[in-house]
Amino acid sequence: MDIITPFQFSLVYNAFSFTFATMAAATAFLWLSRSQVAPAYRTALTISGLVTAIAAYHYLRIFESWNEAYSFEDGLIATTGIAFNDAYRYVDWLLTVPLLLIELVLVMRLSPEQTSSKAVRLGSAAALMIVLGYPGEISTDIPTRALWGTLSSIPFVYIVWELFRGLGDSIEQQPVAARGLIRRARLLTFASWGFYPIVYMAPFAGLTGASATTVIQLGYTIADIVAKAGVGVLIYMISVRKSQVEAHGPVAYAE
């Protein structure tokens, strides 16, 4: 197995540190912004902030685990004998991925029946996707990784179908001024989630050892920033836009 280089260690180290700060800042912004939107949308902002708060906590733990796994000696990075605990990432996803879909459903303010149905279906599919992906993530051989990755893709495909077909009709029921933002939030969710399986398949491209570890950690980290903090800001913008429309009536907004 390749030995991780000081550059690779620092790259991942700084990425974890940056992401922790980003998630913490996003949490403060989303929770402090609740007063700027109508009461109907405050739950969506609360959940969005909860997503980034959970992510901030787990990135702190991931950051600490990364430091514990390696030491700097004589200009080289050496392992300490303490394994890097990447399970923190999957625990985070098991909590946050269903909530990401639920916040998108809540901000659309559908009927109680539609909200409950879509939240349960999408949340359950998201949790199943994460559970099925974990055995492959910790596997050391390609066939096992491929098997669980394929199984995990089944609920992922269902989620994509729901986002573009199941929620498609519901988007048309939204205020005209907010439709563009909702479509962007949906597209950004899909784009960021689509990046995860690409990173998951890094070992299939022949990457091994330290190279594979670096690519996987950086790839997942970038996707997390976009999917959680990025979508969270869009949820805030949608909430503000819809609150303004409901308070003052339709106005001309730039899409």
Side-chain angles (χ1 to χ4, degrees):
M1 181 176 291
D2 298 335
I3 301 300
I4 194 166
T5 66
F7 174 74
Q8 290 171 326
F9 174 83
S10 297
L11 196 60
V12 176
Y13 175 99
N14 290 327
F16 289 161
S17 177
F18 175 79
T19 306
F20 166 70
T22 300
M23 296 299 182
T27 300
F29 170 76
L30 291 166
W31 283 349
L32 291 174
S33 298
R34 290 179 72 255
S35 61
Q36 300 178 31
V37 304
Y41 304 106
R42 289 175 187 168
T43 300
L45 280 189
T46 299
I47 291 178
S48 189
L50 185 60
V51 166
T52 53
I54 293 171
Y57 167 76
H58 283 106
Y59 265 96
L60 177 61
R61 300 305 302 271
I62 292 170
F63 177 81
E64 292 173 338
S65 180
W66 184 257
N67 279 333
E68 291 174 353
Y70 300 99
S71 62
F72 189 77
E73 300 174 2
D74 300 324
L76 298 174
I77 299 295
T79 57
T80 62
I82 301 174
F84 171 58
N85 187 0
D86 207 22
Y88 287 129
R89 192 179 292 283
Y90 270 78
V91 172
D92 172 83
W93 289 344
L94 187 60
L95 295 171
T96 59
V97 172
L99 291 176
L100 282 167
L101 292 171
I102 291 172
E103 73 184 41
L104 184 58
V105 172
L106 286 174
V107 81
M108 295 177 70
R109 199 180 179 186
L110 306 174
S111 69
E113 294 76 15
Q114 286 179 306
T115 298
S116 176
S117 175
K118 291 183 183 298
V120 169
R121 293 203 309 269
L122 287 169
S124 299
L128 180 61
M129 177 179 68
I130 301 305
V131 169
L132 291 175
Y134 183 66
E137 187 70 62
I138 63 175
S139 174
T140 57
D141 65 278
I142 297 298
T144 302
R145 191 178 185 91
L147 171 62
W148 289 102
T150 301
L151 292 174
S152 179
S153 69
I154 296 173
F156 174 73
V157 170
Y158 169 74
I159 291 170
V160 171
W161 183 87
E162 279 283 1
L163 284 175
F164 286 90
R165 179 63 183 90
L167 290 179
D169 295 338
S170 299
I171 291 176
E172 297 306 316
Q173 302 171 16
Q174 301 296 304
V176 175
R179 289 177 193 170
L181 287 173
I182 295 174
R183 291 192 184 100
R184 287 169 203 159
R186 180 181 64 175
L187 184 60
L188 190 60
T189 299
F190 168 70
S192 59
W193 283 29
F195 194 59
Y196 289 102
I198 295 175
V199 176
Y200 183 90
M201 293 188 294
F204 293 83
L207 293 175
T208 58
S211 297
T213 298
T214 303
V215 169
I216 289 172
Q217 295 305 324
L218 289 177
Y220 283 155
T221 298
I222 292 169
D224 275 346
I225 291 174
V226 175
K228 296 170 184 175
V231 172
V233 171
L234 274 176
I235 292 296
Y236 162 75
M237 294 172 64
I238 293 167
S239 299
V240 169
R241 182 72 59 85
K242 293 185 69 176
S243 297
Q244 291 172 341
V245 170
E246 291 171 9
H248 305 294
V251 294
Y253 287 99
E255 286 297 322

